[in-house]
Amino acid sequence: TFAFGSMDCFKLRSKDIDLDGLTIIPPASTAAVGVTVDGVAGFRASNVRFRGSPLDTALEILRCYDFGVSEPAGGAYDNDAYPIGVVNSQRGVINAGTGLFSGRHAIAFGGRTIDGCVPCADVIVNNGIFDSDPATQAGSMDTHGNCEFITYTNCIAYQGATLSGRNISLINSVIYANSLAISTAGVCVSGGEVGGGTFLFDGCTFVSDGVNGFGLIADYNLATYGLQED
Protein backbone atom coordinates (compact mmCIF):
# COMPACT_ATOMS: atom_id res chain seq x y z
CA THR A 1 0.00 0.00 0.00
CA PHE A 2 1.34 3.44 -0.98
CA ALA A 3 0.14 6.84 0.17
CA PHE A 4 -0.64 9.08 -2.81
CA GLY A 5 1.00 12.12 -1.28
CA SER A 6 4.30 10.36 -0.66
CA MET A 7 4.71 8.53 -3.97
CA ASP A 8 6.23 9.72 -7.25
CA CYS A 9 5.48 7.89 -10.51
CA PHE A 10 7.85 7.78 -13.47
CA LYS A 11 7.37 6.55 -17.02
CA LEU A 12 10.10 5.27 -19.34
CA ARG A 13 9.93 7.11 -22.67
CA SER A 14 13.18 5.99 -24.21
CA LYS A 15 14.50 5.36 -27.70
CA ASP A 16 15.69 1.89 -28.70
CA ILE A 17 19.37 1.36 -27.89
CA ASP A 18 21.36 -1.56 -29.31
CA LEU A 19 25.09 -2.13 -28.80
CA ASP A 20 26.64 -4.70 -31.13
CA GLY A 21 30.34 -5.54 -31.26
CA LEU A 22 31.34 -2.59 -29.08
CA THR A 23 34.65 -2.65 -27.17
CA ILE A 24 34.49 -0.70 -23.92
CA ILE A 25 37.75 0.60 -22.40
CA PRO A 26 36.97 2.61 -19.25
CA PRO A 27 39.65 5.00 -17.97
CA ALA A 28 42.38 3.51 -15.80
CA SER A 29 43.15 6.70 -13.87
CA THR A 30 39.65 8.03 -13.09
CA ALA A 31 36.69 6.33 -11.42
CA ALA A 32 34.25 6.73 -14.30
CA VAL A 33 31.80 4.22 -15.78
CA GLY A 34 32.64 3.24 -19.33
CA VAL A 35 29.08 3.14 -20.69
CA THR A 36 25.90 3.84 -18.70
CA VAL A 37 22.54 2.93 -20.23
CA ASP A 38 19.94 4.75 -18.11
CA GLY A 39 16.16 4.57 -18.24
CA VAL A 40 15.79 2.46 -21.38
CA ALA A 41 13.10 -0.10 -22.16
CA GLY A 42 14.19 -2.83 -24.55
CA PHE A 43 17.97 -2.24 -24.35
CA ARG A 44 20.06 -4.88 -26.13
CA ALA A 45 23.82 -5.54 -26.14
CA SER A 46 25.57 -8.25 -28.19
CA ASN A 47 29.23 -9.27 -28.38
CA VAL A 48 30.39 -6.44 -26.13
CA ARG A 49 34.05 -6.67 -25.08
CA PHE A 50 35.70 -5.16 -22.02
CA ARG A 51 39.37 -4.20 -21.96
CA GLY A 52 41.86 -2.38 -19.80
CA SER A 53 42.33 -2.01 -16.04
CA PRO A 54 39.52 0.37 -15.08
CA LEU A 55 38.61 1.91 -11.74
CA ASP A 56 34.86 1.61 -12.29
CA THR A 57 32.17 -0.43 -14.04
CA ALA A 58 32.53 -1.04 -17.78
CA LEU A 59 28.82 -1.43 -18.67
CA GLU A 60 26.19 -0.16 -16.24
CA ILE A 61 22.53 -0.99 -16.89
CA LEU A 62 20.68 1.56 -14.77
CA ARG A 63 16.88 1.88 -14.30
CA CYS A 64 16.20 -0.23 -17.39
CA TYR A 65 13.36 -2.62 -18.20
CA ASP A 66 13.23 -5.61 -20.55
CA PHE A 67 16.96 -5.67 -21.30
CA GLY A 68 19.15 -8.34 -22.87
CA VAL A 69 22.90 -8.94 -23.00
CA SER A 70 24.45 -11.75 -25.03
CA GLU A 71 28.02 -12.99 -25.39
CA PRO A 72 29.90 -10.35 -23.34
CA ALA A 73 33.56 -11.10 -22.64
CA GLY A 74 36.68 -9.72 -21.08
CA GLY A 75 37.73 -7.86 -17.98
CA ALA A 76 40.87 -7.47 -15.92
CA TYR A 77 42.40 -8.57 -12.63
CA ASP A 78 42.84 -5.01 -11.50
CA ASN A 79 41.21 -2.39 -9.32
CA ASP A 80 37.59 -2.35 -8.09
CA ALA A 81 35.81 -2.54 -11.42
CA TYR A 82 32.92 -4.68 -12.61
CA PRO A 83 32.55 -5.68 -16.28
CA ILE A 84 28.72 -5.57 -15.93
CA GLY A 85 26.69 -3.84 -13.25
CA VAL A 86 22.89 -4.20 -13.24
CA VAL A 87 21.48 -1.35 -11.16
CA ASN A 88 17.79 -0.88 -10.27
CA SER A 89 16.73 -2.69 -13.44
CA GLN A 90 14.09 -5.33 -14.04
CA ARG A 91 13.10 -8.12 -16.41
CA GLY A 92 16.36 -8.96 -18.13
CA VAL A 93 18.27 -11.89 -19.61
CA ILE A 94 22.06 -12.11 -19.68
CA ASN A 95 23.42 -14.92 -21.83
CA ALA A 96 27.01 -14.68 -20.68
CA GLY A 97 28.45 -17.37 -22.95
CA THR A 98 32.15 -16.73 -22.31
CA GLY A 99 34.30 -15.52 -19.43
CA LEU A 100 34.02 -12.31 -17.43
CA PHE A 101 36.92 -11.43 -15.15
CA SER A 102 37.37 -8.63 -12.66
CA GLY A 103 39.38 -7.35 -9.74
CA ARG A 104 36.21 -7.60 -7.64
CA HIS A 105 32.81 -8.89 -8.89
CA ALA A 106 32.66 -10.12 -12.48
CA ILE A 107 28.90 -9.48 -12.51
CA ALA A 108 27.02 -7.46 -9.92
CA PHE A 109 23.41 -6.55 -9.13
CA GLY A 110 22.76 -3.57 -6.87
CA GLY A 111 21.16 -0.20 -6.48
CA ARG A 112 21.37 3.54 -6.00
CA THR A 113 19.18 6.04 -4.15
CA ILE A 114 18.28 8.42 -7.01
CA ASP A 115 14.73 8.86 -8.36
CA GLY A 116 13.08 5.85 -9.95
CA CYS A 117 15.35 3.29 -8.33
CA VAL A 118 13.21 0.17 -8.19
CA PRO A 119 14.63 -3.12 -6.86
CA CYS A 120 16.62 -5.28 -9.26
CA ALA A 121 14.18 -8.04 -10.13
CA ASP A 122 13.31 -10.82 -12.58
CA VAL A 123 16.71 -11.28 -14.20
CA ILE A 124 18.14 -14.55 -15.54
CA VAL A 125 21.87 -15.12 -16.04
CA ASN A 126 22.71 -18.07 -18.30
CA ASN A 127 25.90 -19.98 -19.09
CA GLY A 128 28.40 -17.61 -17.49
CA ILE A 129 31.99 -18.21 -16.40
CA PHE A 130 32.95 -15.67 -13.75
CA ASP A 131 36.26 -15.08 -12.00
CA SER A 132 37.77 -12.39 -9.79
CA ASP A 133 40.88 -11.53 -7.83
CA PRO A 134 40.86 -13.87 -4.79
CA ALA A 135 42.66 -11.26 -2.69
CA THR A 136 39.50 -9.09 -2.60
CA GLN A 137 37.56 -11.91 -0.87
CA ALA A 138 34.53 -10.80 -2.91
CA GLY A 139 32.49 -13.37 -4.81
CA SER A 140 32.77 -13.17 -8.57
CA MET A 141 28.93 -13.30 -8.73
CA ASP A 142 27.20 -10.71 -6.56
CA THR A 143 23.63 -9.71 -5.69
CA HIS A 144 22.97 -6.97 -3.13
CA GLY A 145 20.09 -6.66 -0.70
CA ASN A 146 17.80 -4.73 -3.08
CA CYS A 147 17.57 -7.72 -5.45
CA GLU A 148 14.81 -10.29 -5.85
CA PHE A 149 14.01 -13.12 -8.24
CA ILE A 150 17.53 -13.26 -9.70
CA THR A 151 18.35 -16.66 -11.24
CA TYR A 152 21.73 -18.03 -12.30
CA THR A 153 21.61 -21.14 -14.50
CA ASN A 154 24.48 -23.27 -15.84
CA CYS A 155 27.11 -20.88 -14.49
CA ILE A 156 30.62 -21.38 -13.12
CA ALA A 157 31.86 -18.98 -10.45
CA TYR A 158 35.42 -18.96 -9.18
CA GLN A 159 36.25 -17.23 -5.86
CA GLY A 160 32.73 -17.80 -4.54
CA ALA A 161 29.34 -16.13 -4.91
CA THR A 162 27.64 -13.47 -2.78
CA LEU A 163 23.87 -13.94 -2.98
CA SER A 164 21.77 -11.48 -0.98
CA GLY A 165 18.27 -10.02 -1.31
CA ARG A 166 15.16 -12.20 -1.68
CA ASN A 167 14.24 -15.24 -3.76
CA ILE A 168 17.62 -15.90 -5.39
CA SER A 169 18.17 -19.12 -7.36
CA LEU A 170 21.31 -20.96 -8.34
CA ILE A 171 20.58 -23.82 -10.74
CA ASN A 172 22.90 -26.41 -12.34
CA SER A 173 25.93 -24.32 -11.49
CA VAL A 174 29.42 -24.88 -10.06
CA ILE A 175 30.76 -22.60 -7.35
CA TYR A 176 34.42 -22.70 -6.30
CA ALA A 177 35.44 -21.28 -2.93
CA ASN A 178 38.01 -18.53 -2.66
CA SER A 179 41.38 -19.97 -3.65
CA LEU A 180 43.44 -18.22 -0.95
CA ALA A 181 43.77 -19.37 2.65
CA ILE A 182 42.35 -16.15 4.08
CA SER A 183 39.27 -15.28 6.11
CA THR A 184 36.71 -16.56 3.60
CA ALA A 185 38.62 -19.71 2.65
CA GLY A 186 36.32 -22.68 2.25
CA VAL A 187 33.15 -20.63 1.74
CA CYS A 188 31.48 -21.08 -1.64
CA VAL A 189 28.33 -18.99 -1.09
CA SER A 190 27.63 -16.19 1.38
CA GLY A 191 24.98 -13.51 1.83
CA GLY A 192 25.13 -10.53 4.15
CA GLU A 193 22.00 -8.58 3.12
CA VAL A 194 19.41 -11.33 3.07
CA GLY A 195 15.81 -10.09 3.07
CA GLY A 196 13.99 -13.41 3.27
CA GLY A 197 12.09 -15.42 0.70
CA THR A 198 13.42 -18.64 -0.82
CA PHE A 199 17.05 -19.25 -1.74
CA LEU A 200 17.13 -22.17 -4.14
CA PHE A 201 20.25 -24.25 -4.83
CA ASP A 202 19.23 -26.92 -7.33
CA GLY A 203 21.62 -29.32 -9.05
CA CYS A 204 24.69 -27.33 -7.97
CA THR A 205 28.24 -28.43 -7.20
CA PHE A 206 30.24 -26.66 -4.49
CA VAL A 207 34.02 -27.09 -4.59
CA SER A 208 35.96 -26.20 -1.45
CA ASP A 209 39.22 -27.16 0.18
CA GLY A 210 37.60 -26.58 3.55
CA VAL A 211 40.51 -24.51 4.90
CA ASN A 212 39.75 -23.17 8.40
CA GLY A 213 36.52 -25.18 8.44
CA PHE A 214 34.21 -22.34 7.35
CA GLY A 215 31.93 -24.65 5.38
CA LEU A 216 30.32 -24.26 1.97
CA ILE A 217 27.48 -21.81 2.70
CA ALA A 218 27.81 -19.06 5.31
CA ASP A 219 26.06 -15.99 6.75
CA TYR A 220 22.49 -17.20 6.10
CA ASN A 221 20.88 -16.78 9.51
CA LEU A 222 17.93 -19.12 9.03
CA ALA A 223 16.16 -18.14 12.24
CA THR A 224 16.41 -14.40 11.58
CA TYR A 225 15.38 -14.45 7.93
CA GLY A 226 12.81 -17.22 8.05
CA LEU A 227 14.69 -19.38 5.57
CA GLN A 228 14.39 -23.14 5.57
CA GLU A 229 17.03 -25.79 5.03
CA ASP A 230 16.09 -28.65 2.73
Side-chain angles (χ1 to χ4, degrees), residues 174-189:
V174 181
I175 309 297
Y176 291 84
N178 189 291
S179 59
L180 294 180
I182 47 183
S183 64
T184 60
V187 175
C188 292
V189 179

Side-chain angles (χ1 to χ4, degrees), residues 69-118:
V69 179
S70 62
E71 300 296 330
Y77 268 141
D78 290 296
N79 300 318
D80 194 22
Y82 310 156
I84 297 178
V86 180
V87 184
N88 305 112
S89 295
Q90 297 186 345
R91 194 180 177 187
V93 177
I94 299 175
N95 292 311
T98 53
L100 291 175
F101 308 93
S102 176
R104 191 166 171 81
H105 307 303
I107 185 168
F109 294 84
R112 296 188 181 182
T113 57
I114 55 180
D115 291 339
C117 282
V118 297

Side-chain angles (χ1 to χ4, degrees), residues 23-227:
T23 297
I24 302 174
I25 310 175
S29 58
T30 303
V33 175
V35 173
T36 296
V37 180
D38 185 6
V40 176
F43 164 66
R44 296 292 183 269
S46 302
N47 302 304
V48 175
R49 298 293 180 263
F50 310 114
R51 290 175 49 195
S53 300
L55 293 174
D56 212 324
T57 304
L59 174 62
E60 180 181 52
I61 302 171
L62 172 63
R63 297 186 295 189
C64 290
Y65 183 80
D66 184 26
F67 64 91
V69 179
S70 62
E71 300 296 330
Y77 268 141
D78 290 296
N79 300 318
D80 194 22
Y82 310 156
I84 297 178
V86 180
V87 184
N88 305 112
S89 295
Q90 297 186 345
R91 194 180 177 187
V93 177
I94 299 175
N95 292 311
T98 53
L100 291 175
F101 308 93
S102 176
R104 191 166 171 81
H105 307 303
I107 185 168
F109 294 84
R112 296 188 181 182
T113 57
I114 55 180
D115 291 339
C117 282
V118 297
C120 273
D122 300 307
V123 182
I124 298 173
V125 181
N126 295 316
N127 304 316
I129 301 174
F130 306 109
D131 200 356
S132 60
D133 183 353
T136 65
Q137 304 182 53
S140 58
M141 299 191 319
D142 179 59
T143 63
H144 283 219
N146 72 318
C147 300
E148 56 187 15
F149 298 105
I150 309 297
T151 300
Y152 297 90
T153 65
N154 300 310
C155 291
I156 299 174
Y158 297 94
Q159 318 312 334
T162 304
L163 305 178
S164 301
R166 296 172 53 85
N167 301 311
I168 311 299
S169 298
L170 189 64
I171 300 172
N172 296 332
S173 296
V174 181
I175 309 297
Y176 291 84
N178 189 291
S179 59
L180 294 180
I182 47 183
S183 64
T184 60
V187 175
C188 292
V189 179
S190 64
E193 299 174 345
V194 177
T198 299
F199 281 68
L200 174 65
F201 305 99
D202 185 7
C204 295
T205 299
F206 301 102
V207 182
S208 170
D209 58 12
V211 175
N212 297 329
F214 276 85
L216 298 178
I217 300 176
D219 293 343
Y220 289 96
N221 189 323
L222 304 184
T224 298
Y225 300 116
L227 304 182

